[in-house]
Amino acid sequence: MSAGLVGAALALTLAVPARAGETPTAATDVRTATAGDRQHAPETGRQPVPETDRQQVPTADRRPAPETGRQLLPATDRQSAPTTDRQPTPTADRRPAPAIGWRLAPTGTDARFRGLAAVDRRTAWVAGSRGTVLRTTDGGRSWRNVSPPGAGELEFRDVEAFDARRAVVLAIGEGEASRVLRTEDGGATWTESFRNTDPRAFYDCITFFDRRNGLAMSDPVDGRYRILSTRDGGRSWRVLPDRGMPDALPGEAGFAASGQCLVSAGPRDVWLATGGAATARVLHSADRGLTWTATTSPIPAGDPARGVFGLAFRDRAHGIAVGGDYRKDQPSPKAAAGTADGGRTWRPSAAPPPAYRSGVAWLPHTRTSALAVGPTGTDLTTDGGRTWRTVDTGSYDTVDCAPDGSCWASGEQGRVAHLTRHRP
């Protein structure tokens, strides 16, 4: 894959250009122990540990401390116009293609944001540790703290936003720590619409098909994943029957790492990512969670720290899975895979990301370009996930793109950024 193809693809798809006189903000060099994705150790309980105000206490999964610093890798394919004996090559043709990278949008907090919802280039929501929810309506220039009152002990790991005023957030944890809250006034007020009362359940992710219909998923209860359903935009929820759910594998569970262990595309299709068992699987439902089929993915598993952490589908057929082993002292040689048949089969990437990745998103209005993020960097594919190249080395946990072409990322130490391009 040439860098010229990267520049050409992104010139058509990146909708958040750098403003005149601005340059991308470099990442702060922060080396702090961070709370991570839950590790699902077989036959043991899971107790999330809340993060403190200044130092995040590692949870049971011991997610590796992120790599710090950020380096933009510009595209370098400087293809010049053909020359002749009578006409020299114009100087303008020798300019390098635009480089891409993340422009940090300081949030004023050190919370870790694993929940992210990109509405458009001006509006985004993030949700994270210590019950923190922030919202911007000016492209990240300023953030409003719209955290639900009394939520300081909750761990928000997913947020789904319909617009600048309406959003749903998911808190994770065993028993009553798993909750769903909803706002209709931009976070001025919140209503708790679901609180889990089953101590065996542990909810990980939430997704919506449209403004009314959505699902949330829990780790297996009585040997099968538990699915919640809403038909009124998250105002009320009910547990779906599990007759159409395949049995979970021993030690299998989801990862509340990026809000992408449960994703949907179109009006009825939804996919669920798993790990921790002998194999990492992707489950698919074509009827909004009533019946499911399970397929083995090529992403390595066989350990509570390994599996599929994030999924993204650009339509009901084409999807990308990312994951690996989140422990920094363990390699992740097959951290990505793709499907072109709705998840019935998965192929490993020929040139995968170089390390564990927790989040992935398709670039809007493209058929083959996507971004994957993790603690050690951001990778770009322009061939549908077959090959990847690193374009940024900053730490992010999740990524999301809006229909207008804008893309956002978020992660530890309050890091939120939006994608931009510039000429070196």
Side-chain angles (χ1 to χ4, degrees), residues 75-415:
T76 56
D77 187 8
R78 297 172 172 84
Q79 182 177 355
S80 300
T83 60
T84 66
D85 293 338
R86 296 182 179 181
Q87 183 177 2
T89 303
T91 303
D93 291 338
R94 296 176 179 174
R95 291 181 301 174
I100 70 166
W102 295 110
R103 184 189 303 279
L104 289 173
T107 60
T109 179
D110 62 354
R112 187 165 197 166
F113 295 119
R114 297 184 185 273
L116 167 66
V119 176
D120 53 42
R121 70 186 62 189
R122 296 184 60 83
T123 305
W125 299 68
V126 290
S129 59
R130 303 193 301 275
T132 306
V133 180
L134 304 182
R135 182 193 64 153
T136 182
T137 56
D138 58 10
R141 294 182 182 88
S142 63
W143 294 86
R144 181 179 178 185
N145 188 333
V146 295
S147 304
E153 294 184 358
L154 298 180
E155 288 289 320
F156 292 132
R157 294 293 180 93
D158 202 352
V159 56
E160 299 290 326
F162 309 115
D163 49 43
R165 297 184 61 80
R166 291 175 291 179
V168 176
V169 296
L170 172 71
I172 68 155
E174 293 174 329
E176 294 191 3
S178 287
R179 307 178 192 182
V180 178
L181 293 86
R182 187 180 191 278
T183 182
E184 297 184 5
D185 54 15
T189 61
W190 292 86
T191 301
E192 182 180 292
S193 58
F194 172 77
R195 181 180 297 201
N196 174 49
T197 58
D198 190 334
R200 301 168 299 171
F202 192 122
Y203 285 84
D204 299 295
C205 289
I206 191 170
T207 190
F208 276 83
F209 302 96
D210 50 45
R211 291 175 179 264
R212 295 185 60 81
N213 297 282
L215 301 177
M217 60 81 69
S218 163
D219 289 340
V221 176
D222 293 329
R224 293 182 177 180
Y225 289 94
R226 176 168 290 180
I227 304 297
L228 282 181
S229 174
T230 181
R231 295 182 178 180
D232 55 14
R235 295 179 180 88
S236 63
W237 299 82
R238 68 184 183 95
V239 176
L240 293 181
D242 66 359
R243 294 186 298 273
M245 175 67 72
D247 291 338
L249 301 177
E252 190 179 41
F255 292 101
S258 59
Q260 295 178 345
C261 59
L262 184 72
V263 301
S264 57
R268 305 186 67 83
D269 288 272
V270 59
W271 295 264
L272 188 159
T274 81
T279 59
R281 302 193 298 173
V282 177
L283 280 62
H284 171 238
S285 170
D287 55 12
R288 292 184 180 171
L290 293 177
T291 60
W292 298 78
T293 57
T295 303
T296 299
S297 84
I299 293 179
D303 186 278
R306 299 176 190 154
V308 179
F309 283 73
L311 295 169
F313 277 78
R314 67 172 174 84
D315 54 37
R316 66 190 311 265
H318 298 86
I320 294 175
V322 298
D325 191 319
Y326 61 71
R327 297 170 296 189
K328 70 177 182 179
D329 60 341
Q330 297 295 318
S332 295
K334 298 179 181 179
T339 180
D341 56 14
R344 288 191 294 272
T345 60
W346 292 86
R347 67 181 186 279
S349 297
Y356 156 77
R357 295 292 182 254
S358 54
V360 60
W362 289 92
L363 292 174
H365 314 303
T366 73
R367 298 179 61 84
T368 58
S369 297
L371 295 168
V373 300
T376 61
T378 298
D379 304 293
L380 169 72
T381 180
T382 58
D383 56 14
R386 288 189 291 273
T387 62
W388 298 81
R389 65 182 290 262
T390 301
V391 295
D392 188 283
T393 57
S395 172
Y396 296 99
D397 293 317
T398 191
V399 57
D400 192 27
C401 295
D404 69 355
S406 58
C407 295
W408 298 74
S410 65
E412 51 91 26
Q413 290 295 311
R415 287 168 60 88

Side-chain angles (χ1 to χ4, degrees), residues 10-18 24 98-101 103 419-423:
L10 291 172
L12 295 175
T13 60
L14 301 181
V16 191
I100 70 166
R103 184 189 303 279
L419 195 69
T420 187
R421 58 191 176 96
H422 74 288
R423 291 192 179 275

